[in-house]
Amino acid sequence: MARLHVRVIRGLDLDYIEGGSQGTQCLLECEGLKLKTKRQTSTKNPIWNESFEFPICNVETAQLEASACDGKFHVSVKKLQFGNKVVQGFRLMGCKSGVIQLELELQIGGINPTLADQLHKAHLAQWRAAKDREEARLKITSARVHGNPREKMIPMPNTTRDRQDAKHHQ
């Protein structure tokens, strides 16, 4: 397995709403894992200097997407060489101005403890959301079944013997 090390260095000339309370942050997504920098307020040139790692299952198809201030850009992981650090500014598309400077390095090997913790938190959040959706679905199904006394739950026979027993009891 490969991993992509990303250091979000800074933003340059970003569009932000002066006096806005939200501040500016950079959002990163790669192979379903979403991570973000801390918010920087009252600046068009935030300095984040934050590092992240993403596990890469397929280098040929993996894409890093970064966004900030209503703009975004994509980086194809297959264009990176293993073990070489690249520092580059990427122009944000979809907004008036803005560049995000990243340091990228594609590495071979296992996952470090920080990445494992990031993955655990992200997957735990996804699992909880799926569990909540399933519980809501079950409540709706239960309300439908128990809300109408004319509806009966009839177990479906699974085997030939169950079918024969079901016919015998009718």
Side-chain angles (χ1 to χ4, degrees), residues 37-78:
T37 64
K38 293 178 183 160
R39 292 189 187 276
Q40 300 289 319
T41 57
S42 304
T43 181
K44 291 181 78 164
N45 301 303
I47 298 174
W48 290 293
N49 201 27
E50 295 182 44
S51 295
F52 305 94
E53 286 190 25
F54 295 90
I56 305 297
C57 295
N58 186 342
V59 174
E60 293 297 313
T61 60
Q63 294 268 331
L64 172 69
E65 180 180 300
S67 60
C69 299
D70 295 329
K72 64 182 174 180
F73 62 88
H74 295 86
V75 177
S76 177
V77 174
K78 72 179 178 181

Side-chain angles (χ1 to χ4, degrees), residues 25-119:
Q25 73 181 155
C26 183
L27 306 171
L28 303 169
E29 181 177 358
C30 189
E31 299 218 329
L33 181 60
K34 297 178 184 180
L35 304 171
K36 58 188 172 185
T37 64
K38 293 178 183 160
R39 292 189 187 276
Q40 300 289 319
T41 57
S42 304
T43 181
K44 291 181 78 164
N45 301 303
I47 298 174
W48 290 293
N49 201 27
E50 295 182 44
S51 295
F52 305 94
E53 286 190 25
F54 295 90
I56 305 297
C57 295
N58 186 342
V59 174
E60 293 297 313
T61 60
Q63 294 268 331
L64 172 69
E65 180 180 300
S67 60
C69 299
D70 295 329
K72 64 182 174 180
F73 62 88
H74 295 86
V75 177
S76 177
V77 174
K78 72 179 178 181
K79 293 182 179 179
L80 301 172
Q81 294 180 358
F82 281 99
N84 288 344
K85 285 186 182 179
V86 175
V87 177
Q88 184 174 340
F90 295 91
R91 170 93 169 83
L92 290 167
M93 300 298 160
C95 58
K96 291 182 205 173
S97 64
V99 172
I100 301 290
Q101 188 178 29
L102 300 179
E103 177 185 271
L104 303 168
E105 182 180 8
L106 187 58
Q107 302 170 340
I108 298 175
I111 297 174
N112 73 22
T114 303
L115 176 59
D117 187 47
Q118 291 171 353
L119 286 171

Side-chain angles (χ1 to χ4, degrees), residues 148-168:
N148 186 349
R150 289 179 287 173
E151 290 183 0
K152 265 190 164 176
M153 295 282 293
I154 302 171
M156 297 299 293
N158 294 327
T159 64
T160 305
R161 183 180 175 104
D162 289 340
R163 284 188 214 109
Q164 290 172 349
D165 289 344
K167 284 182 184 178
H168 178 72

